[in-house]
Amino acid sequence: MEDSSVKSPADRTYQAIIIIILAIFAFCAIVPFILLVSSSLTEESTLLREGYNFWPRKFSAYAYEYLFKSNGKQVLRSYGITFFITIVGTTVSLLIGPMLGWVMSRADYKRGRLLTFLVFFTMLFNGGIVPSYIMYTQLFHMKNSILALLIPTLLFNGFYIILYKNNFASNIHPALVEAAKIDGAGELYIYFKIVLPLSLPILATIGLMVGLGYWNDWTNGLYYITDMKLYALQQYLKSIIDNISTLASLASASAEAAAQSAKMPGSSIRMAMAVIGVIPIMVLYPFFQKAFIAGIALGGVKE
């Protein structure tokens, strides 16, 4: 009997090609981040004179000193706000979204198609920025509140609902639901004990996308937040860039502004702010892999 564990030369060649291709993709993903970190630790004048390098030609941590020395409290506050809205927004999204997707996927629910059409309609058409701004600020009075950073992003998830619906329809067999009902299980028990455990891959995937959306969001702050104490991280970093750009534009008209502009690390501070924004996501991302693996290992009923 032939040993299936022994790979043929063709299999080994194919595996080597796949490894090389993946290594190239990994290299292309890592190189920009190395340049990003190196540039943030390079002296501004050297960076402007010699360009970007994989290793700092002249080491300088002034960009980080500028961020945390003169703006340390606000940076930490913005970090806290961003962590809060990311955790709360992602949690609430994972509580509400799958419920609607599960109802829409049920073949025994007569209004499922109507709900699907209504959700899909919101993906094609919306009222626009101005009506949304009027609604959130004048009707719901969310301006300069944490809710303004949570609710707008939470409501624009029609695409995720469709993903939930399609996943439930293809992976949750009706026989599981019928068997649970025969055993006396109610709808909530079926949903929390059967549906969600069998749907960990889609929950982890969408949870990751929603979390990244909240972490990187700055438009809600731009529209609804004017109080600096409520600035999320991305909005605050953008405000720093705007201030540097303003000083640079005024440098030619004022000697004092020119002196202040010369002291500010323009390019390096942009790189430092990008590093500050991306590091927490890079640290937390590997933990999501466990959810992917655990969800894939679960099975279901097949016809």
Side-chain angles (χ1 to χ4, degrees):
M1 185 175 179
E2 187 179 353
D3 189 0
S4 60
S5 63
V6 178
K7 296 182 179 179
S8 65
D11 291 336
R12 289 195 293 269
T13 302
Y14 176 76
Q15 186 177 19
I17 293 173
I18 294 298
I19 291 174
I20 292 173
I21 293 174
L22 292 177
I24 293 174
F25 279 115
F27 178 78
C28 293
I30 294 173
V31 165
F33 183 74
I34 295 175
L35 284 174
L36 188 72
V37 176
S38 175
S39 301
S40 69
L41 293 172
T42 303
E43 188 181 60
E44 180 72 12
S45 59
T46 304
L47 190 63
L48 295 175
R49 184 175 60 255
E50 301 183 13
Y52 302 105
N53 294 282
F54 289 103
W55 188 259
R57 294 290 180 88
K58 190 171 183 181
F59 180 85
S60 174
Y62 181 68
Y64 294 96
E65 292 177 7
Y66 175 81
L67 284 174
F68 287 99
K69 252 185 190 179
S70 57
N71 308 279
K73 290 184 179 179
Q74 183 61 42
V75 170
L76 294 177
R77 180 192 294 272
S78 298
Y79 254 125
I81 292 174
T82 301
F83 271 112
F84 176 79
I85 63 174
T86 300
I87 294 172
V88 174
T90 304
T91 302
V92 175
S93 177
L94 291 178
L95 288 175
I96 297 176
M99 290 184 180
L100 179 56
W102 170 238
V103 172
M104 290 164 51
S105 69
R106 295 283 294 270
D108 56 347
Y109 184 61
K110 297 180 180 179
R111 296 179 178 82
R113 290 187 177 181
L114 175 62
L115 284 177
T116 302
F117 170 77
L118 293 176
V119 172
F120 184 73
F121 186 84
T122 63
M123 296 170 58
L124 301 177
F125 305 97
N126 62 75
I129 296 175
V130 174
S132 299
Y133 178 81
I134 295 174
M135 179 181 68
Y136 288 124
T137 57
Q138 298 185 15
L139 182 61
F140 296 116
H141 304 288
M142 290 184 182
K143 190 168 184 178
N144 284 327
S145 70
I146 292 295
L147 291 178
L149 300 175
L150 286 170
I151 302 300
T153 303
L154 184 66
L155 296 182
F156 288 101
N157 58 359
F159 173 68
Y160 299 147
I161 302 299
I162 298 298
L163 290 181
Y164 284 129
K165 184 252 185 187
N166 293 338
N167 177 80
F168 293 148
S170 60
N171 294 331
I172 307 299
H173 200 283
L176 287 173
V177 180
E178 293 299 326
K181 287 183 177 180
I182 292 174
D183 290 337
E187 291 291 346
L188 290 178
Y189 185 90
I190 293 173
Y191 176 75
F192 286 106
K193 296 296 184 180
I194 297 177
V195 175
L196 293 186
L198 290 174
S199 305
L200 287 180
I202 191 65
L203 292 174
T205 302
I206 294 181
L208 181 59
M209 290 190 293
V210 173
L212 288 175
Y214 272 109
W215 183 267
N216 293 321
D217 177 67
W218 60 272
T219 55
N220 287 334
L222 177 66
Y223 298 151
Y224 309 116
I225 303 297
T226 57
D227 185 359
M228 186 172 288
K229 293 182 179 180
L230 295 176
Y231 275 12
L233 181 64
Q234 306 299 338
Q235 184 186 4
Y236 181 64
L237 296 181
K238 182 181 182 302
S239 69
I240 294 178
I241 293 177
D242 292 340
N243 292 337
I244 293 175
S245 300
T246 301
L247 280 174
S249 64
L250 295 175
S252 58
S254 170
E256 182 180 354
Q260 292 181 359
S261 178
K263 295 179 181 179
M264 287 190 177
S267 299
S268 59
I269 200 172
R270 289 178 174 86
M271 302 302 173
M273 286 187 285
V275 172
I276 290 173
V278 76
I279 280 182
I281 295 297
M282 293 186 62
V283 172
L284 295 175
Y285 185 82
F287 295 98
F288 286 92
Q289 299 302 315
K290 296 181 180 180
F292 282 105
I293 296 172
I296 293 171
L298 293 173
V301 176
K302 294 184 180 179
E303 299 211 69

